[in-house]
């Protein structure tokens, strides 16, 4: 029974990942959503917006950058640069993953230079529910401007900045001539791995069943012959 339960769990996980892959494909071909601060009401389900292409006008809140540590690109260590973006004609903000910044190998705590556009600009990108997570090592760093942290969510940033935020994050895709790398990794779904584990657990359960059937048959035959 344990093998069947584990196989069914892998089936459910595989189905969930397949649904996610389907959503990525379907929303990836939809027309970009023009975000104006009213598109995502507080009652809207942000999951329905994940992987949608987003276009938004506004300006960066340049005095509140946050850096996600332990993010590598092509095997090189570095950071993801995150920054609030005030949506034009709105009091609302959205968190933008601007791009990847390599680590300063001489002085780790001193970031390499990059630029931030000033004034109102148009951003293009893909909506995500969060900036992704890594294993948290030690106690989280206090959230403040220019903080280097390992993980971040929108609710934490909203509390620290006292600014209203939309419930999703934008992975920026268009080039704003800032020196950052925007080559975002695709989500690691691992559907085939779940299907493989599902098959293995069902196979082990079937082998265990056959073993007990054969063993029980032999024991029954032996007991009958002893009489």
């Amino acid at each position: 029974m344990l093998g069947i339960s584990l196989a069914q769990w892998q089936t459910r996980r595989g189905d969930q990942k397949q649904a996610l892959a389907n959503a990525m494909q379907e929303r990836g071909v939809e027309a970009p959503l023009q975000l104006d601060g009213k598109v995502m009401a507080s009652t809207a389900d942000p999951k329905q917006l994940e992987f949608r292409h987003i276009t938004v006008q506004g300006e960066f809140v340049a005095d509140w950058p946050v850096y996600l540590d332990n993010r590598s690109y092509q095997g090189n260590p570095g950071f993801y640069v995150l920054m609030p973006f005030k949506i034009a004609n709105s009091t609302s903000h959205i968190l933008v993953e601007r791009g990847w910044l390599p680590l300063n190998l001489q002085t780790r705590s001193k970031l390499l230079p990059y630029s931030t556009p000033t004034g109102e600009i148009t951003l293009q990108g893909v909506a995500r529910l969060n900036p992704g997570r890594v294993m948290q090592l030690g106690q989280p760093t206090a959230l403040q401007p220019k903080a280097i942290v390992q993980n971040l969510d929108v609710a934490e940033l909203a509390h620290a900045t006292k600014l209203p935020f939309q419930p999703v994050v934008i992975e920026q895709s268009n080039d704003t001539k800032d020196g950052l790398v925007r080559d975002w990794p695709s989500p690691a779904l691992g559907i085939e791995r779940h299907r493989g584990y599902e098959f293995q657990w069902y196979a082990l359960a079937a082998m265990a069943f056959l073993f007990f059937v054969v063993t029980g048959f032999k024991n029954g035959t032996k007991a009958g012959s002893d009489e």
Side-chain angles (χ1 to χ4, degrees), residues 92-130:
S92 187
H93 298 71
I94 192 163
L95 181 59
V96 177
E97 286 190 89
R98 295 185 52 192
W100 179 81
L101 183 70
L103 176 69
N104 187 338
L105 299 178
Q106 279 70 43
T107 308
R108 192 180 193 282
S109 59
K110 184 176 181 181
L111 298 176
L112 294 176
Y114 67 94
S115 61
T116 298
T118 58
E120 188 170 307
I121 62 171
T122 298
L123 279 187
Q124 297 170 355
V126 175
R128 298 299 304 272
L129 294 180
N130 56 67

Side-chain angles (χ1 to χ4, degrees), residues 142-199:
L143 197 55
Q144 58 186 352
K146 300 181 181 180
I148 297 176
V149 299
Q150 296 179 66
N151 297 295
L152 176 69
D153 63 44
V154 175
E156 290 176 325
L157 188 63
H159 178 76
T161 61
K162 310 301 181 186
L163 298 173
F165 275 87
Q166 296 286 351
V168 296
V169 177
I170 293 181
E171 284 183 350
Q172 183 182 340
S173 59
N174 63 317
D175 186 12
T176 47
K177 308 298 182 182
D178 49 25
L180 299 173
V181 177
R182 280 175 281 275
D183 184 11
W184 303 107
S186 299
L189 299 179
I191 298 173
E192 295 79 7
R193 183 178 69 252
H194 288 294
R195 299 307 186 199
Y197 288 153
E198 172 191 347
F199 175 80

